[in-house]
Structure formats: structure tokens, C-alpha cells
Amino acid sequence: MSTPPNTPPGGGAPIPPYDAKAQWRAYREQQRAAWRAQRDAWHAQKYAWKAGYGGVYGPRVPSMVGPVILIGIGIIALLIMTGHIAAENFWEWYSRWWPVLLILAGLALLAEWAIDVKREVPVRRKGGFIGLLFLLVIIGLGATGWRQMGAWNWNWNGDNDDFFNSFGAPEHDNDAQVLNTTIPANATVDIENPRGDVSITGGDGTTIQVQAHEEAFTNSDSGAKTIWDSEAPHATVSGGTVLIKSDGNNKGRLNLTVTVPRTAIVTVNEGHGEVTATGLGAGITANVPHGELHLNSITGPVEAHLYRGNHDVSIHDVNGDVTEDGNSNELTLSEIHGRLSTNGDIFGPVHMENITGPIKLHTSVTDIEIAALPGDVTLDSDDLHVTEAEGSVRVSTHAKDVDLSQIYGDTSVENRDGRIAIEPAGVYAITANNSKGDVEITLPPNGAGIVDGHTHNGEVVDDFDLSVNGDEDKTVTGRIGSGGPRISLSSSDGDLHIKKGPAFPPPPPPTPAAPAAAKIPPPPPNAPHLKSSKALPQQPTAQ
């Protein structure tokens, strides 16, 4: 009997013949199984939580940052469209503060992360808002560059506010016929000029005189005449009211020089341009949404409404109360015999001197109240100095070094992230509270008062042998001299200094009485300002 083919030695089942195709199919199935296993391992690793939650990962959820940004954009757009926020005012703010958006977005993401790590099953946050955030950053960088190139001044101050002239249209000039109109005594004069400067001077007599210099930006003489005719001023007398009005033209400017009787009550409504007034005897109300304001030698109340900001404002030699509201760039006030009230952000330096008061200054950062100021006040983004003030002084601010000296009255200061230094000119009550900053009080050797001070994470430096106790939280208490007004000091993360200084200065001289209205000499039409607002450097932030 023959042995079957492919029988192994020693017998057994025959070995099937070699099949190459079958071997390849088996090898391919093995490779596919290995790939599927590797793919599943990759998926498990991709969705595993790195902190070690056994590979369990929850669903993807959206971040709250994107919707909050969209809501904020929608609210701001609505306020701009409805007129509650001026567009140029918003872009001025955004060009300075857009990095805050990144900080707030980062804080929101950190808050979400802190919530997510406490979940039993962690989630994955979607980042679809990153593109929107990146776009807002690009816009912020563009706005910052635009502002630094002076575009805001071009748009706001009215010096080059004609849109068409920016493309090179030639300028045509014309001096219009002088208007002379007799008006009633003590008349009310309203001046309205949408585009161009207005200069007002008080004079003798009962006649109002209007000189107009017309500018037109066009390529033809006929076009210039059309613009001049449309913006030419006209005077209307109705009883005791006089209206000087130009209808304006967005391709031209009209600069007015107006001489009014000294007894006239003046109101000026300016669109784009500078307002200058001098020698008025019955006060003035100035509404200036764009441009500078300079007032000098005014008798009677002064009201200045600035609206949108980037104004340089100087007001000098006023025998009456002064009220100013709205944002400004630089503010200079002096020789004011009356009350002073200012309300609005100030993006540049402030200087005030010789004001009989009382004084109230309010911005989004700083509040100042002074009973009377025979001395001066200077304020910028870093420092606030008050030198020689009569009566009570109250200051509330932050991120500034506050220095008060020769204060003839009680003093109260609230500050943070800055220094407080107070040097009274007599025995007066002092309250100084500072967060993250030093407090320094300088009293003469013969000073008097009852001290109650506290500091957290700070030191106490005392020249009067007061009682100092505590370690991390230190207190200083005691009586200086014969006692007297309360001296309350508080600091967090800062030192308390109670120093001996020189003897009290002599009392201030009596405040001079305001000059009588009849003694104000008529100034020339182009009288210079007592203090030019250009003398002070511009600061980038609100005070």
C-alpha cells in the first residue's frame, strides 16, 4: 500500500498543499485587526482626561466667553445707533483700553477651568470665539495706531474737519460783508455756527457786529460761491433776542468774529471749531461738542458744555460762578471769583489756581472738594498736588500720589495704589485712608491732635513718641501736644509716617474781593489768554 502524498514522516494527516493566496488573505486580516486595535487606542488616548479620570471624558460644551463678547458688541452698537454713546468717544476709549478685553477673557476662561476640574466627569470646552477675539484685537491695534497718528484730533477739533478737502480739493476764501445790527439793551445773543471758529468780544455801544471769513473746498469758483451762499451768516432780532446763525456746509467753514455790547447775555452753539470769548459783562453759555474753548475776562456766570471730549479748555479772570461738564483734554482755570464745578473725564493735565470757591471736581477716577483755593491744584495721570487751600479739603482717587501742603482746614483723603502726604498749616482734623500705599503726615513740633492709626503689612515711623503696638497689624495711638482734633490714619500694605516738620506757616492773606464789573477794561479783539492750555504736556488717560 502506497503512502499518500504530503504525509509527514511517522504518519499522520497529510499536509495540505501550500496556498499562497490563502496565506496573503490571512496576513491581511491580521494587519487589519492590528490597525483597528491601534485606532481604538488612539481614540481612547485622544479623549482621555490628562489629570487621570480613567479615560472617561464628558461631552463638548460651549464656552461662555463667546456669547458674552457678542452681547457686549450688540449692547455697544445699540447705544451708538440710538445716540446714547458718541461713536468717536467709544473709539477713543477702545483705542486705549482694548487690552482689558484680553484680561477679562482670560479671567473668564480661568473661572471655567476652575469649575470644570471639580466635575466628576470632565467636559471639553469649545473655542469657537478665538477668531472673534483675534478680530477685536486687530481692531484695537488699528484704533491705537490711528489715535497715535493724531486722527482723533483731525476728526474732533474741527481744524481740518472737511471730508472732501482731505482728497485735495483747493481752498477758496472770501470775507463776507460785515453785518451791523442795533440790538436792545441787555439783549440775549444766540450764536449758532456748525463749522468754523467763533471769536466773541464785548464792546461799548448797542450795536452787534459780525465779521465772517468763509472757506470753501471745491474745484471751481462757481462751486465756491454756492458754498459761500449756503453758509453765509444772517442776523435776526426778535424783541430782546438776537440770533446770529449760519446753516453750515460740509464742504466749507465759516469763521465768525462777533462784537457784542458788554451787557449782552451770550449763548454760543458750536459744531466743529474753536470758541474764544473775552470782555463779556453778563456771562456766557458755550456748547462745544468738538473743538477748544478759551474764555477770558468774563463778568457773570459761565457755563461750558463739552459733550464728547478731546477739548483744550482754559477759563481765566471770571467774576462769577463757573460750571463745566463733559470730557476734556486739558483744563486750565485761574482767577475765578465764584463757585467752580467741573464734571467729566479729563485726559490731560489740570491746573487750577486762585479760586474763591467752593470747588468741586468730579471725574470717573478723582473727586476733589475744596472750600477755597488761594494757591493751586495740579492733576495728571500720576500725581495730585494741592498747595495752599483754605477750609476743608476732600480728595478721593486711586493710582496717584496725593500731596497736600499748606492746608488751612480739615482734610480727608481716600486713595489706593499710591502715596498720601499731608502737611496741614494749623491744628486741624485729618483722615487719611490708603490701600496699598504709604501715608505720611507732617506736623510742626508744637502741633496738637489725638492720633489713631492702623497699618496692615506695614511699618510705623513716629517722631512724637506715640504708642506703637502689633506685628503684622500695627497700631499707633496717643496724644500730640495738648491734644485736639482727631488724626485718623489707615494703610494696607504700606507704612505710616508721622513726622515732625517746621513750624506752622503764617495764616494766608485775606482773599481779595472780586473786581467790580465796571472796572473791567475792554480787551483788544485778539487778546492772548492768561495761560495757554498748550503749555502743559498731554497725558494719555483720564484723571
Side-chain angles (χ1 to χ4, degrees), residues 384-386 400-405 407 411 413 415 418-424 430 432 434 438-442 497 499:
L384 192 164
H385 295 273
V386 179
K400 300 184 191 305
D401 289 338
V402 179
D403 192 343
L404 312 181
S405 62
I407 308 301
T411 305
V413 179
N415 192 18
R419 171 177 166 269
I420 296 176
I422 302 174
E423 186 173 353
I430 298 174
N434 200 0
D438 296 343
V439 175
E440 180 180 297
I441 307 298
T442 302
H497 297 256
K499 302 170 58 177

Side-chain angles (χ1 to χ4, degrees), residues 223-443:
K225 186 177 184 307
T226 300
I227 295 173
W228 293 335
D229 291 342
S230 67
E231 65 183 9
H234 50 271
T236 303
V237 180
S238 178
T241 301
V242 181
L243 174 64
I244 307 297
K245 183 177 180 179
S246 166
D247 293 328
N249 191 298
N250 60 5
K251 294 184 180 181
R253 287 170 55 87
L254 180 68
N255 298 325
L256 297 178
T257 301
V258 184
T259 302
V260 301
R262 203 179 310 280
T263 58
I265 304 171
V266 177
T267 298
V268 56
N269 295 287
E270 177 65 41
H272 295 256
E274 177 180 325
V275 174
T276 303
T278 183
L280 302 180
I284 182 173
T285 298
N287 301 298
V288 189
H290 303 274
E292 300 183 0
L293 175 64
H294 304 284
L295 306 178
N296 187 15
S297 298
I298 307 293
T299 296
V302 171
E303 293 186 18
H305 306 289
L306 308 178
Y307 301 115
R308 297 175 181 176
N310 210 44
H311 305 74
D312 291 345
V313 178
S314 61
I315 303 175
H316 307 292
D317 192 12
V318 175
N319 183 11
D321 297 339
V322 175
T323 302
E324 179 266 338
D325 59 69
N327 298 343
S328 60
N329 189 42
E330 297 180 5
L331 183 61
T332 307
L333 305 162
S334 70
E335 304 296 333
I336 295 175
H337 303 280
R339 298 174 178 268
L340 170 63
S341 175
T342 71
N343 183 8
D345 283 336
I346 306 167
F347 298 100
V350 178
H351 183 81
M352 301 186 293
E353 69 176 43
N354 196 9
I355 301 172
T356 60
I359 301 168
K360 290 186 177 182
L361 180 146
H362 171 76
T363 75
S364 60
V365 176
T366 302
D367 283 284
I368 302 174
E369 293 184 9
I370 301 175
L373 183 70
D376 67 289
V377 171
T378 58
L379 170 67
D380 58 31
S381 59
D382 299 317
D383 300 286
L384 192 164
H385 295 273
V386 179
T387 303
E388 192 177 351
E390 292 182 3
S392 61
V393 175
R394 188 185 72 83
V395 174
S396 176
T397 188
H398 64 261
K400 300 184 191 305
D401 289 338
V402 179
D403 192 343
L404 312 181
S405 62
Q406 300 182 46
I407 308 301
Y408 295 86
D410 297 341
T411 305
S412 175
V413 179
E414 296 279 346
N415 192 18
R416 72 172 188 269
D417 300 319
R419 171 177 166 269
I420 296 176
I422 302 174
E423 186 173 353
V427 179
Y428 301 107
I430 298 174
T431 300
N433 298 318
N434 200 0
S435 175
K436 296 183 179 179
D438 296 343
V439 175
E440 180 180 297
I441 307 298
T442 302
L443 302 173

Side-chain angles (χ1 to χ4, degrees), residues 64-117:
M64 70 174 182
V65 177
V68 169
I69 292 176
L70 289 176
I71 292 172
I73 293 175
I75 291 174
I76 292 173
L78 180 62
L79 292 175
I80 292 175
M81 295 300 294
T82 57
H84 290 82
I85 296 179
E88 57 267 40
N89 216 15
F90 167 75
W91 288 115
E92 167 71 10
W93 175 89
Y94 188 73
S95 69
R96 299 177 187 274
W97 298 103
W98 64 264
V100 176
L101 181 65
L102 300 180
I103 296 173
L104 295 177
L107 292 174
L109 291 174
L110 283 176
E112 290 179 341
W113 173 83
I115 294 173
D116 292 343
V117 296

